[in-house]
Amino acid sequence: HGVVARKAPLRFASHSWSVPERWAELMGDSCNYADVKATELCIIAKDLSLDFFGDHEQWQRVEFWIDKCCIGQESPELVELSVLLIEEFLQLSDGLVVLLNWTYLTRLWCVYEWACFLAYHDPSDIIVCAEPFYRKATEPLFLDAVRNFKVENCQCFDPRDRSVLIGKVAEYYRSTKDFEEFLQFTVIACMARCLTGWASRSPTAIEAWARMAEELGFDDLAQELWTVDPSVWRNEIIDQLGEDKATASFDMQAAMLEHRDQWFNARIAPVVRLKRDASMFSDVRHGLDVRKASVGLGDSSMAEC
């Protein structure tokens, strides 16, 4: 019997091309924004390769949809057509990788990608990569970005693009306010997932996001964030692996990420699902499920990414 090769996972990469404000001041003069993003995608490719193929050395088989590489630049007409098809690209992707810095939520196309992706997929299919940008000095900027998020404040190169996002919000969500709250809710949830995997680096970071959830009135989400304790996971891993093996950074980190995803799927995904259903039109959800099934995306279950 031959071995059936698994299809490589395809992830849509969502990011802001613009260098964030105060980048050199906060990250250092020698820190190149493009290099940081490229390095993070490489790390994610290795993580996905290990998860999908059981071998991080096969990372080059992991595929990303990146706008500048995947949108043909041969003619203005081709560019325009490709941009119009971005929602279809998002629909057919296996997941979304968000290179989330403190200005991401101010970019109109970034918010558009988040809004469209969540219409077809669940937040467990989002990988938020904030670690390289998240420091003590930048944490308040991340929190303010969520706290102050408004669709009307989103920036775009071409003002005509604003109607695209407004139209998509009106098509999928009960109101602009419902969408804004759902985006805040899901960003907090996904940031918590991101940071719990690296809790030893910033043990108080989760508390900041739990307070943010409380401030915005997301009490059910806040309760889950207040009760999570990654140090318990660490002790369990040491008991399971033994002190010597657990001290190996690769083994410990892989085990921590596994515990993190189990916690997210069991405790956070259900409250996100409730918020999603309250924010979107019910007939839209049904129609999207039908469309997903027709193109082979299957059920919109909160599967582990």
Side-chain angles (χ1 to χ4, degrees), residues 200 229-239 246 252 256 259:
S200 60
D229 186 358
S231 66
V232 173
W233 305 343
R234 184 179 181 87
N235 292 335
E236 291 177 355
I237 294 168
I238 292 174
D239 290 340
M252 173 59 76
M256 284 291 289
H259 275 68

Side-chain angles (χ1 to χ4, degrees), residues 203-247:
T204 62
I206 304 303
E207 296 179 8
W209 290 95
R211 287 193 294 271
M212 173 60 63
E214 280 187 344
E215 177 184 330
L216 295 177
F218 306 146
D219 295 337
D220 48 355
L221 178 58
Q223 181 178 355
E224 296 296 342
L225 298 188
W226 279 122
T227 56
V228 65
D229 186 358
S231 66
V232 173
W233 305 343
R234 184 179 181 87
N235 292 335
E236 291 177 355
I237 294 168
I238 292 174
D239 290 340
Q240 293 169 359
L241 298 179
E243 188 71 39
D244 293 339
K245 193 173 182 180
T247 55

Side-chain angles (χ1 to χ4, degrees), residues 61-215:
R61 293 176 61 188
V62 177
E63 298 177 337
F64 294 105
W65 192 98
I66 302 176
D67 47 10
K68 188 62 70 71
C69 302
C70 298
I71 293 180
Q73 305 293 317
E74 290 82 0
S75 69
E77 293 77 17
L78 182 58
V79 171
E80 182 177 0
L81 174 61
S82 298
V83 169
L84 291 175
L85 291 173
I86 282 181
E87 184 172 353
E88 278 66 28
F89 298 144
L90 285 159
Q91 176 182 347
L92 294 170
S93 297
D94 297 311
L96 185 71
V97 174
V98 180
L99 302 174
L100 199 153
N101 62 56
W102 56 90
T103 61
Y104 178 90
L105 295 179
T106 69
R107 307 308 305 172
L108 179 116
W109 277 104
C110 293
V111 171
Y112 173 84
E113 291 161 2
W114 189 286
C116 289
F117 184 83
L118 287 176
Y120 290 97
H121 302 269
D122 286 300
S124 56
D125 295 322
I126 296 179
I127 300 175
V128 167
C129 307
E131 300 99 298
F133 313 110
Y134 200 92
R135 303 181 177 182
K136 184 176 180 180
T138 62
E139 181 178 76
L141 301 178
F142 276 94
L143 293 168
D144 283 343
V146 175
R147 177 185 293 111
N148 301 322
F149 174 74
K150 295 289 184 184
V151 169
E152 64 185 23
N153 294 335
C154 292
Q155 304 167 13
C156 53
F157 180 77
D158 187 341
R160 293 174 297 180
D161 291 342
R162 185 174 301 278
S163 62
V164 177
L165 175 61
I166 300 300
K168 197 55 57 181
V169 169
E171 178 182 352
Y172 290 154
Y173 296 88
R174 297 179 185 275
S175 69
T176 299
K177 184 175 184 295
D178 282 317
F179 167 70
E180 290 170 345
E181 289 187 356
F182 183 57
L183 184 135
Q184 291 172 316
F185 194 101
T186 52
V187 170
I188 293 173
C190 291
M191 280 296 296
R193 183 190 188 190
C194 171
L195 294 172
T196 49
W198 304 87
S200 60
R201 297 185 182 184
S202 182
T204 62
I206 304 303
E207 296 179 8
W209 290 95
R211 287 193 294 271
M212 173 60 63
E214 280 187 344
E215 177 184 330

